[in-house]
Amino acid sequence: MGSRHMAGTWWKKVFQSTYLAAFEPLYSSVRTKREILFLIRALRLKKSANILDIPCGAGRHSITLARLGFSRITGVDQSTVLLAAARHRSYGLTAPPIFLQGDMRTFKTSDRYDAALILGNSFGYFSDRNNKRVIKNVSRALRPGGQLVLDLSNTVGMLRRLSTEHKDVISGGYILTEETAFDRRLSRLHLRWTVVRNGKKHTYSGLFRLYTFPETKQLLESENLKICRTYGSLTGAAYNINAPRLVVVARKAP
């Protein structure tokens, strides 16, 4: 499979039932609540805030916000499997999130949001042009003064480590093997996941465009978004070159 083809379609194959069963257990409810409590503080979110979670996956962040009393949450994702799980998990909530099927590259809305969340390595799936479209769409959806949280891998830190990594974990009864290779020239991360359960093996591939801080700043500013804070994790750790994450908070100009 050529990288151009994979770059445009790999996520359609990955984010299905096996992902839900094998990968979702890696993200505990305790971890998710810590991330959300940090975001509430960092963005100074009021319970009345209109919040966009894109892509929302199976809704772990959206649903946690709803459980904490936030009543105006919209989750958008392309996967029918993950959206079905999100709707099922939100059943019984007083004010459940609204979950919509949509593509980040073409997402449009007449609504205006106080905050938009792009979390969990959910940015960089596409070509540079289409990644820019994602930011353009989100910026248009924000009200003036609204904030975007963009949660990215720390590319600089990755450059300081070995370009390839290999790790095994056990999750949800599955044995997961993740292999990564970083293409320094193109700033792309190639991933290969092998998922084994009861002797059955599935293999998936992914391709991410990783952005440095200057590239991220330029991209956001081109869409009327100015960075106001940075963190090294979704729990508020300081950002530095060794941090695992680059979490950017940007505000839409009036």
Side-chain angles (χ1 to χ4, degrees):
M1 180 182 294
S3 62
R4 179 179 297 179
H5 178 69
M6 184 174 69
T9 61
W10 67 267
W11 40 273
K12 292 182 180 180
K13 180 180 179 183
V14 170
F15 297 117
Q16 301 296 332
S17 56
T18 299
Y19 171 86
L20 187 63
F23 288 85
E24 279 287 298
L26 295 172
Y27 306 102
S28 69
S29 58
V30 173
R31 170 180 169 176
T32 302
K33 187 173 181 180
R34 285 179 62 202
E35 293 174 350
I36 288 299
L37 289 175
F38 161 69
L39 291 174
I40 292 170
R41 293 193 302 271
L43 302 182
R44 298 180 180 178
L45 290 175
K46 297 179 180 179
K47 295 290 179 68
S48 60
N50 196 12
I51 302 170
L52 174 67
D53 182 9
I54 181 169
C56 64
R60 67 186 184 96
H61 290 106
S62 290
I63 292 169
T64 301
L65 280 164
R67 286 175 176 158
L68 291 172
F70 289 81
S71 59
R72 301 174 65 202
I73 306 159
T74 301
V76 178
D77 204 279
Q78 63 83 29
S79 171
T80 55
V81 170
L82 298 189
L83 286 172
R87 293 182 181 116
H88 176 75
R89 293 172 180 180
S90 64
Y91 180 76
L93 290 174
T94 302
I98 297 170
F99 291 111
L100 304 174
Q101 186 168 25
D103 188 314
M104 294 187 291
R105 295 167 294 181
T106 56
F107 174 72
K108 293 181 180 178
T109 178
S110 59
D111 214 342
R112 288 296 173 263
Y113 296 92
D114 300 296
L117 311 177
I118 303 179
L119 306 177
N121 269 352
S122 297
F123 182 74
Y125 290 1
F126 315 115
S127 66
D128 282 349
R129 184 177 68 175
N130 281 327
N131 289 332
K132 181 177 172 64
R133 283 179 178 171
V134 172
I135 298 301
K136 181 186 290 290
N137 293 338
V138 171
S139 179
R140 286 176 174 172
L142 286 170
R143 65 166 179 79
Q147 298 177 88
L148 165 66
V149 178
L150 189 58
D151 172 30
L152 307 169
S153 291
N154 181 18
T155 305
V156 175
M158 194 166 293
L159 282 167
R160 289 169 59 86
R161 299 192 297 271
L162 293 175
S163 60
T164 59
E165 294 181 356
H166 178 106
K167 64 180 179 181
D168 298 316
V169 297
I170 298 176
S171 172
Y174 292 82
I175 299 174
L176 310 179
T177 301
E178 181 181 275
E179 300 168 88
T180 63
F182 184 55
D183 185 331
R184 298 169 186 242
R185 184 175 62 88
L186 297 176
S187 195
R188 291 188 179 274
L189 183 66
H190 297 259
L191 296 103
R192 182 181 177 89
W193 299 282
T194 303
V195 183
V196 180
R197 187 183 189 192
N198 298 329
K200 294 183 179 180
K201 181 170 72 172
H202 303 274
T203 302
Y204 305 93
S205 296
L207 182 65
F208 289 84
R209 166 69 157 93
L210 298 184
Y211 289 83
T212 63
F213 179 80
E215 287 177 317
T216 303
K217 182 175 182 289
Q218 182 180 37
L219 177 60
L220 293 174
E221 288 182 349
S222 72
E223 299 304 332
N224 206 28
L225 294 161
K226 184 176 181 179
I227 294 175
C228 49
R229 291 183 298 283
T230 58
Y231 302 94
S233 74
L234 270 178
T235 53
Y239 174 71
N240 57 57
I241 59 175
N242 295 312
R245 315 292 305 159
L246 169 59
V247 179
V248 170
V249 179
R251 187 181 301 276
K252 183 174 178 179

